[in-house]
Amino acid sequence: MKSKNRAIDIALHIATGLVIITSIVLWIFILTSDQRFSGLNQSTDTDTTHVKNSKSIKDAYLPTEVFGYRNNQLYQLYDSDKNLPLVFSKEFNNAKIERIKPIFITKKDYQKFLANKAYLQLTYPDQITFGIFSSNVSKYKNSEFNRIFIAQKDGKFKLYAGNDLNHRIYEVSLKNGNFDKLLKYAQKSESKTAVSLIRLSEGYEVSYKNDLTVNVYSYLISNPSDSYFVSRLLGTSGVSSKTAGNVTTYTAGLYNHLEVPKSNSKDYHNYTYINTRGAS
């Protein structure tokens, strides 16, 4: 009997020891796992921060309108396939501003510049500063402009920045400035609208020479059958129908009527439900 109890005690001690050893192993594993996952999360956070910071603030500033002369007429240019403002932004941001030089500040000279048929013009919706695009222009980093003039002469690209409010023009010298794609796409833009520029107190506004016409698009997501609306509004029993011209009238009893145009009529989908109950 004593030997049996002794065997049980030994077995209990062994089991207890195994439990303690297993607990220690699991505790060590959990600690090391937390460190590994912590390092993984830290690495992921670092990578995410790097991706977020890879975008420059200048990428957020895009012109909203593009203008160019053709046959002595100023046109507003648009191309749904080639996003002209985005093309300009990419080419401009690939260049480096080396020098900014003020040209003139008179209203008369500024308007001559606006009428110069050699330049493609791009406008921003508001005044912006050179400091957004370069840290190498400390003297003019706070100088404002809202209009860009671009032309190519003798194989070289000329870029000027203009301020519609105070009529200042700045010559911008660029390193690696290339606007070949922009000028080519603008020349072949699919849409052009004849405009003129009108001087107002807050700058120059666009005046359209002709009435604007825009395409109207209609998108039909689903097209339930007529029976769907008939059953919903009139029920499924005791319903009669009568067609007159392009309209089919469904009737349930004396008071409920539903008028449905034919599918080939211009009023298709314009259903008319009539309930004459209580009418005198």
Side-chain angles (χ1 to χ4, degrees):
M1 189 60 137
K2 290 183 179 181
S3 61
K4 183 178 181 181
N5 290 336
R6 181 177 177 80
I8 293 174
D9 290 338
I10 294 173
L12 288 174
H13 284 301
I14 293 174
T16 303
L18 290 175
V19 170
I20 293 174
I21 293 172
T22 302
S23 299
I24 294 173
V25 171
L26 288 175
W27 178 69
I28 295 174
F29 176 77
I30 291 172
L31 287 180
T32 56
S33 296
D34 287 343
Q35 291 176 356
R36 287 198 295 269
F37 285 121
S38 176
L40 179 61
N41 291 336
Q42 183 178 3
S43 176
T44 302
D45 293 341
T46 303
D47 293 342
T48 303
T49 303
H50 174 73
V51 172
K52 289 181 179 179
N53 292 338
S54 64
K55 285 290 185 181
S56 171
I57 187 174
K58 61 186 179 182
D59 295 326
Y61 288 86
L62 291 175
T64 54
E65 294 179 303
V66 182
F67 303 93
Y69 281 94
R70 295 182 183 177
N71 299 324
N72 298 324
Q73 171 62 54
L74 182 64
Y75 288 94
Q76 187 178 45
L77 306 179
Y78 173 78
D79 194 307
S80 60
D81 183 40
K82 307 296 184 182
N83 188 326
L84 299 180
L86 184 59
V87 173
F88 163 76
S89 178
K90 289 180 178 179
E91 293 185 326
F92 184 46
N93 292 340
N94 286 336
K96 180 181 179 181
I97 298 178
E98 291 188 320
R99 184 172 61 94
I100 296 176
K101 177 183 177 183
I103 303 298
F104 49 73
I105 57 175
T106 66
K107 179 180 178 181
K108 182 178 180 180
D109 289 336
Y110 192 86
Q111 290 179 335
K112 286 182 178 179
F113 218 81
L114 288 172
N116 192 321
K117 302 172 181 57
Y119 291 103
L120 182 73
Q121 303 179 30
L122 301 97
T123 60
Y124 291 88
D126 204 354
Q127 302 289 329
I128 58 177
T129 63
F130 290 107
I132 293 173
F133 300 97
S134 176
S135 59
N136 193 34
V137 290
S138 56
K139 185 177 180 180
Y140 298 102
K141 68 177 182 179
N142 294 323
S143 298
E144 296 181 331
F145 65 94
N146 69 292
R147 190 179 296 268
I148 294 290
F149 302 86
I150 299 177
Q152 186 175 17
K153 185 177 181 181
D154 298 330
K156 296 182 179 180
F157 294 95
K158 293 285 187 179
L159 187 143
Y160 298 87
N163 188 322
D164 288 353
L165 296 179
N166 58 22
H167 305 108
R168 292 181 181 270
I169 288 283
Y170 302 89
E171 181 181 1
V172 182
S173 299
L174 299 173
K175 181 180 180 180
N176 299 324
N178 189 324
F179 300 97
D180 184 62
K181 289 184 178 179
L182 173 66
L183 297 180
K184 181 176 66 175
Y185 295 157
Q187 184 64 31
K188 297 180 179 180
S189 58
E190 65 179 21
S191 175
K192 61 181 187 298
T193 305
V195 298
S196 60
L197 299 178
I198 300 177
R199 172 65 182 173
L200 300 177
S201 58
E202 63 273 14
Y204 291 87
E205 294 294 332
V206 176
S207 175
Y208 295 93
K209 295 285 188 179
N210 304 307
D211 293 335
L212 291 178
T213 57
V214 295
N215 296 327
V216 178
Y217 298 93
S218 177
Y219 299 93
L220 183 62
I221 298 176
S222 61
N223 182 23
S225 63
D226 297 345
S227 60
Y228 171 83
F229 296 100
V230 172
S231 62
R232 289 279 181 167
L233 296 172
L234 304 181
T236 56
S237 62
V239 178
S240 61
S241 63
K242 180 180 180 180
T243 300
N246 290 327
V247 177
T248 299
T249 302
Y250 296 88
T251 303
L254 299 176
Y255 306 108
N256 296 320
H257 306 275
L258 178 65
E259 296 179 355
V260 181
K262 288 186 176 180
S263 60
N264 59 355
S265 69
K266 65 178 182 179
D267 294 322
Y268 187 50
H269 299 304
N270 291 331
Y271 294 77
T272 303
Y273 175 70
I274 304 172
N275 187 317
T276 59
R277 184 185 297 274
S280 58

